[in-house]
Amino acid sequence: MIRHPAFAPGSVWLAGAGPGDPALLTLAALHAIETADVILHDALVPAEILALAPAATRLVPAGKRAGGIHTPQLSINEDLIALARQDLRVLRLKGGDPFVFGRGGEECLALAAASIPFRVIPGISAGIGAASAAHMPITHRGVARSVVFATGEAGPAGGEVDFAALGRAADTLVLYMARQNIGRIAAALIAGGRSPTDPLAFLLDATTPRERVVHTTIGAAAAIAATLPPAATLVIVGPVAGIGAMIAPHRPEAEPSIRSAQG
Amino acid sequence: MIRHPAFAPGSVWLAGAGPGDPALLTLAALHAIETADVILHDALVPAEILALAPAATRLVPAGKRAGGIHTPQLSINEDLIALARQDLRVLRLKGGDPFVFGRGGEECLALAAASIPFRVIPGISAGIGAASAAHMPITHRGVARSVVFATGEAGPAGGEVDFAALGRAADTLVLYMARQNIGRIAAALIAGGRSPTDPLAFLLDATTPRERVVHTTIGAAAAIAATLPPAATLVIVGPVAGIGAMIAPHRPEAEPSIRSAQG
């Protein structure tokens, strides 16, 4: 038997919905979806997952691109607090994990400041889900003893991750929102000492029926990126991307297809 | 409705069981546990999770410390192949995620070499689960744009992660199996430029009823580690550990208690 804590009216639960496949929801997240009075969800949560909520549940798009509009983070924080003060069970449902590029920390701080009780339910982060689906062991004995998750987007003040240093220090890199800047990131990785021929893979719409894996190299990444269709994209850099390519031909028949694009 | 692929006899599924709390199993992992003929599980999978298997399912301890003995990896690989060749549905169930310090890559390579069909089901890694439970947003806007997962154990050939470089390059560090070597790791982080007064937290038995969070600093970590009881331990380093401490007093009543040990 699985026991779940009581979802008290007037409280907020922040839950990760995982990488896309509804089967990768946790039991705790499913329980939250089935129990909440209102669900504020971002655009990364697929319709199949929202469909698991009872018909009476209020669904509110909130966050990056949700419902075609961008809801500013401060306004989401205020909505969570206002709904909790209406004595509702409020679920904040996010793609992936709330604390891995999910801005869950900001929501926790706002809730704590307003003395609203809350709970955080972790989810399978997009990078972890994509690695599993593409058979890339992001740590691998003798090959990768460290893995870094970083964002390829420039920060609000123009600050950016030091990819040269990261590429030197960590064995595997899992990059979120990196497709647009991949040319600049690849150049930094090479400047930091990575070889242009090192494996790099694009994982598109991972764990969904549209999933696709494109194998290439750091040096060829920018040229390949320009040829890819629009999709939620993760980038994995390091020898483990090559291991995924080795294993790929042995995947069961029903698995998503692999396209190889060696640069 | 959640759809699961058919678990074909003669195939192996590698699944992550998550960080400890059975509610943090994915729906896919629960389905695998309910469907498998035989489950090879490591010692990190709690009894409450194994109890979810039907009574007829064969449970085989395998891996680090499982059943009080250490099963060598090569022998596990051979067992998986042999059981699949008996036309069984074979589940390899691991704590956390199979590809985050779980040696799942080695098992995939062995299965691929033996032409055994397999599938990988990701799980909530111990570090992600612990961060959620302790309210530490391992990425946080303006504070942490990168997070590295690394092992504190020396490698088979004595090779070790370069913690000075990692500490310089990544904002947040989530360290597995780092408790024993924390003095050496802390010294390397400080040598690499981290301040001895930067926050560091020990997360003990996270997501279980025995959970405990101990807040300290990089400089005081070794002294504090010596006072901790035996437990599965994660270490989180960086400003986000301090955010967890700020949020902690606002956790719901029923949440695990926090002990502060500022050094």
Side-chain angles (χ1 to χ4, degrees):
Chain A
M1 264 303 296
I2 306 290
R3 262 172 233 204
H4 296 288
F7 196 160
S11 69
V12 177
W13 285 8
L14 284 80
D21 179 355
L24 296 180
L25 278 172
T26 63
L27 305 179
L30 178 61
H31 169 76
I33 291 168
E34 290 173 342
T35 315
D37 297 310
V38 53
I39 302 179
L40 277 80
H41 61 89
D42 69 25
L44 296 169
V45 180
E48 300 92 300
I49 287 179
L50 295 174
L52 299 169
T57 310
R58 203 169 127 203
L59 299 177
V60 182
K64 217 182 253 183
R65 287 170 306 153
I69 49 147
H70 175 88
T71 320
Q73 186 62 49
L74 279 180
S75 134
I76 297 173
N77 299 354
E78 283 165 18
D79 288 351
L80 292 172
I81 293 166
L83 289 163
R85 289 199 171 138
Q86 288 166 40
D87 220 29
L88 297 170
R89 295 171 190 87
V90 184
L91 175 60
R92 176 71 176 119
L93 191 62
K94 295 163 171 292
D97 178 85
F99 284 165
V100 180
F101 308 116
R103 307 194 64 173
E106 292 161 79
E107 292 168 11
C108 288
L109 285 171
L111 293 167
S115 298
I116 305 284
F118 65 93
R119 167 182 297 275
V120 182
I121 299 172
I124 306 280
S125 184
I128 301 264
S132 272
H135 292 170
M136 292 176 193
I138 51 177
T139 68
H140 191 70
R141 206 165 176 86
V143 171
R145 301 170 55 73
S146 59
V147 51
V148 68
F149 294 71
T151 168
E153 267 188 343
E160 201 183 53
V161 171
D162 181 349
F163 286 103
L166 265 192
R168 259 195 311 270
D171 298 320
T172 304
L173 292 92
V174 179
L175 306 179
Y176 291 62
M177 295 161 283
R179 181 167 154 177
Q180 198 139 19
N181 297 332
I182 194 67
R184 201 148 38 80
I185 293 167
L189 292 173
I190 293 167
R194 293 268 177 164
S195 162
T197 60
D198 278 357
L200 179 151
F202 293 97
L203 292 76
L204 279 63
D205 287 329
T207 84
T208 78
R210 302 173 304 285
E211 175 172 289
R212 236 174 89 195
V213 181
V214 180
H215 291 280
T216 181
T217 62
I218 297 177
I224 294 294
T227 70
L228 299 176
T233 307
L234 270 288
V235 175
I236 296 187
V237 184
V240 302
I243 293 174
M246 283 164 60
I247 297 175
H250 297 276
R251 302 171 95 191
E253 283 304 313
E255 296 282 338
S257 65
I258 301 280
R259 183 168 75 98
S260 205
Q262 295 297 342
Chain B
M1 264 303 295
I2 306 290
R3 263 172 231 203
H4 297 288
F7 196 161
S11 69
V12 176
W13 286 8
L14 284 78
D21 179 354
L24 297 180
L25 278 172
T26 64
L27 305 178
L30 178 61
H31 169 76
I33 291 167
E34 291 173 341
T35 315
D37 297 310
V38 54
I39 302 178
L40 276 80
H41 61 90
D42 69 25
L44 295 170
V45 180
E48 301 91 299
I49 288 179
L50 296 174
L52 299 168
T57 309
R58 203 168 125 203
L59 299 177
V60 182
K64 216 181 256 184
R65 287 171 305 154
I69 49 148
H70 176 88
T71 321
Q73 187 61 48
L74 280 179
S75 135
I76 297 172
N77 299 353
E78 283 164 17
D79 287 351
L80 292 172
I81 293 165
L83 289 163
R85 289 197 171 138
Q86 289 166 40
D87 219 29
L88 297 170
R89 296 171 191 86
V90 183
L91 174 60
R92 175 71 176 120
L93 191 61
K94 294 163 172 292
D97 178 85
F99 284 165
V100 180
F101 308 115
R103 308 195 64 173
E106 292 161 78
E107 292 168 11
C108 287
L109 286 170
L111 293 167
S115 298
I116 305 284
F118 64 92
R119 167 182 297 275
V120 182
I121 300 171
I124 306 279
S125 185
I128 301 263
S132 272
H135 293 169
M136 292 177 193
I138 52 176
T139 69
H140 191 71
R141 207 165 177 85
V143 170
R145 300 171 55 73
S146 58
V147 51
V148 68
F149 294 71
T151 169
E153 267 189 342
E160 199 183 54
V161 171
D162 181 349
F163 286 103
L166 266 193
R168 260 195 311 270
D171 298 320
T172 305
L173 292 93
V174 179
L175 306 179
Y176 291 62
M177 297 161 280
R179 181 167 154 177
Q180 197 140 19
N181 295 333
I182 194 67
R184 203 147 38 78
I185 293 168
L189 291 173
I190 293 167
R194 292 267 177 164
S195 162
T197 59
D198 278 357
L200 179 151
F202 292 97
L203 292 77
L204 279 63
D205 286 329
T207 85
T208 77
R210 301 173 303 286
E211 174 172 293
R212 236 173 89 193
V213 182
V214 179
H215 291 281
T216 181
T217 61
I218 297 178
I224 294 294
T227 69
L228 299 176
T233 306
L234 270 289
V235 174
I236 296 188
V237 184
V240 303
I243 292 174
M246 283 165 59
I247 298 176
H250 296 275
R251 302 171 96 190
E253 283 303 315
E255 296 281 338
S257 65
I258 300 280
R259 185 167 75 100
S260 206
Q262 296 298 338

